[in-house]
Amino acid sequence: MGMTIMLMILALLVGLVIGFFGARKYMENYLRNNPPNSEEMLRTMMLQMGQKPSSRKLHQMMQAMKAQAKKSNRK
């Protein structure tokens, strides 16, 4: 009886640990492939700040943000 309860608790703990790391990995991949910032959001931000965004400048900003994200992921 005591051994069964111990195995159930152990299985629960192992499941929680595996679930946590699996969910973490899934979210990292999701955010890497689908970043929460887009060119449309940057365009709106720049317009609110009083700047007229060109497509070239938006593209440069997106590339810089992607490079920064890659750099921070390596650490």
Side-chain angles (χ1 to χ4, degrees), residues 43-75:
R43 178 179 284 116
T44 304
M45 253 183 3
M46 290 177 76
L47 286 171
Q48 288 175 349
M49 291 187 296
Q51 298 179 10
K52 185 171 186 332
S54 66
S55 61
R56 181 176 180 218
K57 184 160 185 138
L58 286 172
H59 185 69
Q60 285 176 341
M61 288 177 68
M62 286 298 293
Q63 293 301 319
M65 290 171 73
K66 286 180 184 178
Q68 182 66 31
K70 279 185 182 179
K71 185 178 178 182
S72 68
N73 283 338
R74 288 182 187 157
K75 290 182 179 180

Side-chain angles (χ1 to χ4, degrees), residues 4-72:
T4 305
I5 293 173
M6 190 70 124
L7 286 175
M8 289 172 59
I9 292 172
L10 181 64
L12 176 66
L13 291 175
V14 169
L16 287 172
V17 169
I18 291 172
F20 171 76
F21 286 108
R24 181 175 168 217
K25 184 70 172 171
Y26 172 79
M27 286 305 295
E28 285 176 354
N29 287 336
Y30 178 81
L31 290 175
R32 189 177 306 123
N33 295 332
N34 304 308
N37 45 16
S38 65
E39 286 190 20
E40 188 60 36
M41 186 184 353
L42 286 176
R43 178 179 284 116
T44 304
M45 253 183 3
M46 290 177 76
L47 286 171
Q48 288 175 349
M49 291 187 296
Q51 298 179 10
K52 185 171 186 332
S54 66
S55 61
R56 181 176 180 218
K57 184 160 185 138
L58 286 172
H59 185 69
Q60 285 176 341
M61 288 177 68
M62 286 298 293
Q63 293 301 319
M65 290 171 73
K66 286 180 184 178
Q68 182 66 31
K70 279 185 182 179
K71 185 178 178 182
S72 68

